Amino acid sequence: MWAVTAKPFIKSHFLKHTLPLLLMANQTSLSFSSGSPVHAPLKRVGTHNGSFHCDEALGCFMIRLTQKFKQRRNRDHIVLEGLDAVLDVGGVYDPARDRYDHHQKGFEEVFGHGFSTKLSSAGLVYKHFGKEIIAKELKVDEVHQDVHHIYLAVYKSFMEVIYF
């Protein structure tokens, strides 16, 4: 059953969320509400300015589906240091600090589960937040077996090819 539902899930969410984000990619600054309750502080996410690539566009889309983030574009390391999460820029992969760059020398992070492709920024976000996002969209707990099956299927059929 999960294999049948994964493709419509990806298509509907791409058209609903990612396509508008890609259309706005020419802007120098993007800001999104995380959908958090009013009393919860908004977190700020940064990525590089200039040309937008598929990996950070998808990574920004996915991370804003989590409970804690909104997004900002910049390459200034002083600005990036003050952000709550940084994707595809900054030269650091440190999930404990919500830093998801894949451009630094020596970067070797892979998804696991038998996959060996080095991860993009979107892949890093998916690795750490994919189950949360899927569970939220399906309205089930992260431990539900369909979440794990869809998590692997989406990585295999979609995420793995995004490695810029």
Side-chain angles (χ1 to χ4, degrees):
M1 167 83 179
W2 61 268
V4 174
T5 60
K7 287 184 181 179
F9 171 82
I10 295 167
K11 182 179 178 182
S12 70
H13 287 277
F14 176 82
L15 292 175
K16 182 178 175 184
H17 299 288
T18 306
L19 190 57
L21 177 62
L22 293 174
L23 293 174
M24 295 187 312
N26 292 357
Q27 297 179 3
T28 58
S29 177
L30 297 175
S31 189
F32 299 100
S33 168
S34 66
S36 300
V38 173
H39 65 278
L42 291 175
K43 303 284 185 167
R44 296 169 300 148
V45 176
T47 189
H48 60 78
N49 54 5
S51 298
F52 223 138
H53 303 111
C54 182
D55 66 316
E56 66 269 12
L58 182 58
C60 289
F61 159 71
M62 287 188 304
I63 205 164
R64 81 183 223 358
L65 291 176
T66 68
Q67 294 296 320
K68 58 182 189 176
F69 296 107
K70 74 176 193 173
Q71 190 240 343
R72 178 178 180 176
R73 297 186 73 194
N74 203 305
R75 287 186 193 266
D76 183 332
H77 287 279
I78 294 170
V79 172
L80 295 176
E81 238 354 89
L83 299 176
D84 299 296
V86 178
L87 284 71
D88 205 52
V89 67
V92 176
Y93 168 56
D94 183 357
R97 293 180 41 227
D98 289 314
R99 298 302 189 253
Y100 304 100
D101 195 6
H102 64 114
H103 294 104
Q104 59 276 23
K105 286 185 178 182
F107 179 82
E108 297 290 329
E109 190 70 20
V110 298
F111 184 67
H113 306 282
F115 297 97
S116 60
T117 304
K118 290 182 192 177
L119 294 174
S120 65
S121 57
L124 293 170
V125 170
Y126 188 75
K127 179 177 182 172
H128 295 283
F129 295 102
K131 286 184 179 181
E132 175 190 338
I133 294 165
I134 292 166
K136 177 182 164 191
E137 295 299 318
L138 295 178
K139 297 176 178 44
V140 298
D141 292 330
E142 279 186 52
V143 296
H144 192 282
Q145 81 176 39
D146 287 348
V147 171
H148 183 71
H149 290 299
I150 292 171
Y151 177 68
L152 295 176
V154 168
Y155 181 80
K156 180 180 180 181
S157 62
F158 184 62
M159 296 300 303
E160 188 176 29
V161 300
I162 301 172
Y163 55 88
F164 292 103

